[in-house]
Amino acid sequence: QVQLVESGGGLVQTGGSLRLSCAASGSIFSINAMGWYRQAPGKQRELVAAITSGGSTNYADSVKGRFSISRDNAKNTVYLHMNSLKPEDTAVYYCNADVQTIVPNKRTNSWGQGTQVTVSS
């Protein structure tokens, strides 16, 4: 089993910054891609940013130049650095990881519980 625990959300003013963290734990052999998604009220969940185990990244057009994703493979942790935040960034942010587990020996897609980010105007 794999657990993803997110932290770092909160309330920030327009133009402010936040850093989200997500730590994976459990029966982990390796982690392939990790990413951050978000879901605003009344909207579908969307990809914000993703990073492979080798460090390749991709971003939603709406966050390019403002957000940065990174990971610490030794700590099984992924980060999302968010700068120049806008009210439209307000959402619940979810961590996602593509994990190869040891027990059971399988590949699983895991989600965190979500952390609220609110940007006030």
Side-chain angles (χ1 to χ4, degrees):
Q1 301 297 330
V2 176
Q3 297 80 41
L4 300 181
V5 178
E6 299 129 335
S7 61
L11 173 64
V12 64
Q13 291 185 334
T14 297
S17 299
L18 283 174
R19 188 185 79 159
L20 305 183
S21 301
C22 171
S25 63
S27 182
I28 298 171
F29 176 74
S30 63
I31 303 178
N32 303 306
M34 301 184 82
W36 290 93
Y37 290 71
R38 68 185 181 187
Q39 188 166 19
K43 295 187 177 181
Q44 289 189 331
R45 190 174 297 188
E46 62 175 359
L47 175 68
V48 176
I51 184 168
T52 68
S53 57
S56 296
T57 59
N58 68 286
Y59 297 90
D61 288 343
S62 59
V63 307
K64 284 181 180 177
R66 300 188 298 121
F67 291 11
S68 176
I69 189 170
S70 62
R71 64 190 282 176
D72 185 332
N73 290 330
K75 296 181 179 180
N76 290 334
T77 299
V78 64
Y79 305 96
L80 185 66
H81 306 261
M82 304 185 292
N83 299 314
S84 302
L85 283 160
K86 305 175 181 180
E88 50 264 43
D89 295 317
T90 295
V92 178
Y93 284 70
Y94 297 91
C95 175
N96 176 266
D98 178 15
V99 181
Q100 181 66 41
T101 59
I102 300 172
V103 178
N105 181 15
K106 71 172 185 177
R107 188 170 179 174
T108 184
N109 189 264
S110 298
W111 291 90
Q113 79 285 356
T115 184
Q116 176 71 46
V117 171
T118 302
V119 184
S120 63
S121 58

